[in-house]
Amino acid sequence: MKLGFFTIGRSFPRTESGFTLLELLVVMVIIGLLAGYVGPKYFSQVGKSQVKTARAQIDALEKALDQYRLDTGRYPVMEQGLGALVTRPPNEPKWDGPYLKKSVPPDPWGNAYVYKIPGEHGEFDLLSLGKDGQLGGTGEAADVTNW
């Protein structure tokens, strides 16, 4: 018997397919466990690569400073800073730069490199303050230096 859109007394085979709520929850738990295991390992690798990048940049800046010294006979003074590697300082006739292809990059954490002359550990000190942006620290927050 048929009443409008409904049929009474007759059952039809179910043709719809899909996932149950339980199946979806199980999949979400598995994805969460995988993310919890893989995520920290991935992010620790990112931190290590930032430290390696800082070391490579400090090495490149050191080489540029040495080239500056070969040309001018001295390292840039504190007031000139690392900017002297890119733009000619006033009253520097022997400057034969730029000694870097681009401007002085920030460290991998977005902070400026610290340049001190005279240095405490050599003729000049060049360092990144690390992830925390402060002197000292351990792990990823440790300073990256040229000494």
Side-chain angles (χ1 to χ4, degrees):
M1 169 161 65
K2 200 166 189 181
L3 298 172
F5 293 106
F6 302 103
T7 304
I8 299 175
R10 189 167 176 199
S11 66
F12 293 99
R14 192 169 183 199
T15 59
E16 296 177 22
S17 63
F19 297 106
T20 65
L21 181 59
L22 182 61
E23 291 169 329
L24 290 173
L25 288 173
V26 168
V27 169
M28 288 174 58
V29 167
I30 291 171
I31 290 172
L33 289 172
L34 286 173
Y37 178 73
V38 174
K41 292 188 181 295
Y42 170 76
F43 287 112
S44 72
Q45 293 301 318
V46 170
K48 288 178 186 175
S49 68
Q50 288 175 320
V51 170
K52 288 180 182 178
T53 300
R55 286 178 206 240
Q57 286 178 336
I58 285 176
D59 186 48
L61 290 171
E62 258 189 311
K63 288 181 171 118
L65 285 164
D66 288 339
Q67 185 63 44
Y68 181 98
R69 180 180 181 205
L70 286 173
D71 289 345
T72 63
R74 61 177 179 78
Y75 290 111
V77 295
M78 285 286 290
E79 293 77 27
Q80 295 168 334
L82 296 175
L85 299 173
V86 181
T87 57
R88 178 188 297 270
N91 302 324
E92 193 61 70
K94 296 180 181 178
W95 189 85
D96 193 28
Y99 299 96
L100 297 173
K101 291 182 181 179
K102 299 178 182 178
S103 63
V104 178
D107 70 9
W109 300 279
N111 302 314
Y113 284 99
V114 177
Y115 172 68
K116 296 179 185 176
I117 188 162
E120 298 171 11
H121 303 278
E123 290 186 72
F124 65 89
D125 290 348
L126 188 58
L127 64 134
S128 164
L129 298 176
K131 185 176 184 177
D132 64 354
Q134 298 177 4
L135 280 173
T138 58
E140 291 177 32
D143 299 341
V144 182
T145 64
N146 69 326
W147 60 86

